[in-house]
């Protein structure tokens, strides 16, 4: 079956860099998404990886290694507003393309 | 273009009642998925509809059901409400299954 693992909680300092990891086990990988969710709000799309390598978008970057079943989200120059949960989701043929979601990583930014 | 619209935003119901939630996807999106989220928890998948057919289903009891109309709008219904059904219900639409999901603001259901 499918499984996605992320750390439950991480703490970082304003202005610093943080890396949130996501590992997955699935067959027929079709893409990996990262979403940000502030408390009480809906998740919003951050990034999409389908090929190995790094995708950079401003302060946020996402990396994928399909052979290792591994991705990370890198957040640079952290701001207080980055305090949120970060969700990793995978699409695969063995889930009939249904997105399988990790439980999310709660990121706490301290001044 | 308009985003995903969920109605109502807030709802209070009594145990044993039933409730219907509505989701209007982004124009052109054929896939609509529903999720339940309780405080501090991740997204629990309920079901996905694609072109009016249920394509995928999560591990929820039969009290949870849904449907999709020809205009891609979707509804989910929860019958015989229990206190544990209190949660944020999120709807997400995408062009196709497995594609980038766009979320509505959710319906916050409280069962008393």
């Amino acid at each position: 079956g499918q499984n996605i693992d992320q750390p439950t909680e991480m703490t970082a300092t304003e202005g610093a860099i943080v890396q949130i990891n996501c590992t997955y086990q699935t067959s027929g990988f079709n893409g990996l998404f990262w979403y940000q969710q502030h408390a009480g709000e809906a998740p919003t799309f951050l990034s999409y990886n389908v090929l190995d390598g790094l995708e950079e978008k401003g302060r946020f970057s996402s990396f994928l290694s399909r052979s290792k079943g591994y991705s990370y989200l890198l957040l640079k120059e952290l701001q207080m507003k980055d305090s949120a949960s970060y969700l990793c989701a995978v699409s695969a043929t063995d889930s009939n393309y249904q997105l399988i979601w990790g439980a999310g990583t709660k990121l706490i930014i301290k001044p | 273009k308009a985003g995903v619209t969920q109605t109502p935003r807030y709802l209070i119901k009594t145990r044993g009642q039933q409730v219907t939630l509505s989701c209007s996807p982004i124009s052109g999106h054929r896939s609509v998925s529903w999720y339940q989220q309780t405080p501090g928890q991740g997204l629990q998948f309920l079901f996905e509809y694609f072109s009016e057919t249920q394509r995928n289903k999560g591990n929820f009891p039969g009290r949870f059901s849904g449907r999709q109309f020809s205009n891609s709008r979707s509804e989910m219904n929860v019958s015989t409400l229990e206190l544990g059904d209190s949660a944020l219900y999120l709807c997400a639409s995408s062009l196709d299954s497995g594609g980038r999901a766009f979320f509505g603001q959710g319906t916050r259901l409280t069962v008393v």
Side-chain angles (χ1 to χ4, degrees):
Chain A
Q2 312 92 25
N3 191 43
I4 297 183
D5 289 314
Q6 306 179 233
T8 302
E9 187 173 297
M10 298 181 71
T11 302
T13 304
E14 190 177 14
I17 298 173
V18 71
Q19 178 176 309
I20 302 174
N21 296 326
C22 170
T23 58
Y24 63 89
Q25 296 89 42
T26 192
S27 297
F29 177 82
N30 190 53
L32 185 144
F33 299 83
W34 284 98
Y35 281 77
Q36 179 191 61
Q37 186 179 27
H38 285 102
E41 298 182 8
T44 55
F45 171 82
L46 288 176
S47 68
Y48 172 64
N49 295 73
V50 64
L51 299 176
D52 291 350
L54 189 68
E55 294 282 341
E56 296 186 84
K57 191 186 294 186
R59 294 189 299 115
F60 293 8
S61 302
S62 58
F63 171 83
L64 175 68
S65 169
R66 288 173 297 172
S67 62
K68 296 181 179 177
Y70 168 70
S71 173
Y72 68 72
L73 180 68
L74 192 71
L75 292 75
K76 304 176 185 176
E77 301 168 14
L78 286 170
Q79 302 175 10
M80 297 303 292
K81 68 178 181 180
D82 297 329
S83 292
S85 286
Y86 291 85
L87 308 173
C88 172
V90 173
S91 171
T93 56
D94 67 350
S95 65
N96 200 24
Y97 299 100
Q98 168 207 324
L99 289 182
I100 305 300
W101 294 83
T105 299
K106 182 177 180 180
L107 177 63
I108 300 168
I109 309 297
K110 296 186 174 179
Chain B
K1 97 184 166 177
V4 179
T5 304
Q6 289 188 247
T7 56
R9 290 291 311 278
Y10 302 92
L11 205 51
I12 300 175
K13 288 286 190 177
T14 305
R15 263 185 309 177
Q17 286 187 312
Q18 66 118 21
V19 67
T20 299
L21 311 182
S22 179
C23 173
S24 293
I26 291 173
S27 178
H29 284 194
R30 294 182 297 171
S31 170
V32 174
S33 295
W34 289 89
Y35 298 90
Q36 181 196 66
Q37 189 175 39
T38 49
Q41 299 300 309
L43 300 176
Q44 302 300 312
F45 174 72
L46 282 154
F47 27 67
E48 178 199 4
Y49 285 88
F50 184 86
S51 295
E52 301 181 66
T53 302
Q54 188 179 84
R55 185 184 171 95
N56 290 299
K57 188 177 188 304
N59 297 320
F60 276 80
R63 300 186 296 108
F64 292 80
S65 63
R67 58 178 175 169
Q68 187 179 34
F69 302 94
S70 58
N71 62 357
S72 291
R73 190 178 71 85
S74 178
E75 289 181 346
M76 69 162 279
N77 184 278
V78 189
S79 62
T80 320
L81 284 165
E82 301 176 359
L83 295 178
D85 296 333
S86 294
L88 178 66
Y89 289 87
L90 290 163
C91 160
S93 78
S94 58
L95 279 170
D96 290 297
S97 290
R100 174 179 166 181
F102 294 78
F103 285 85
Q105 289 304 301
T107 294
R108 188 166 298 282
L109 172 66
T110 302
V111 182
V112 297

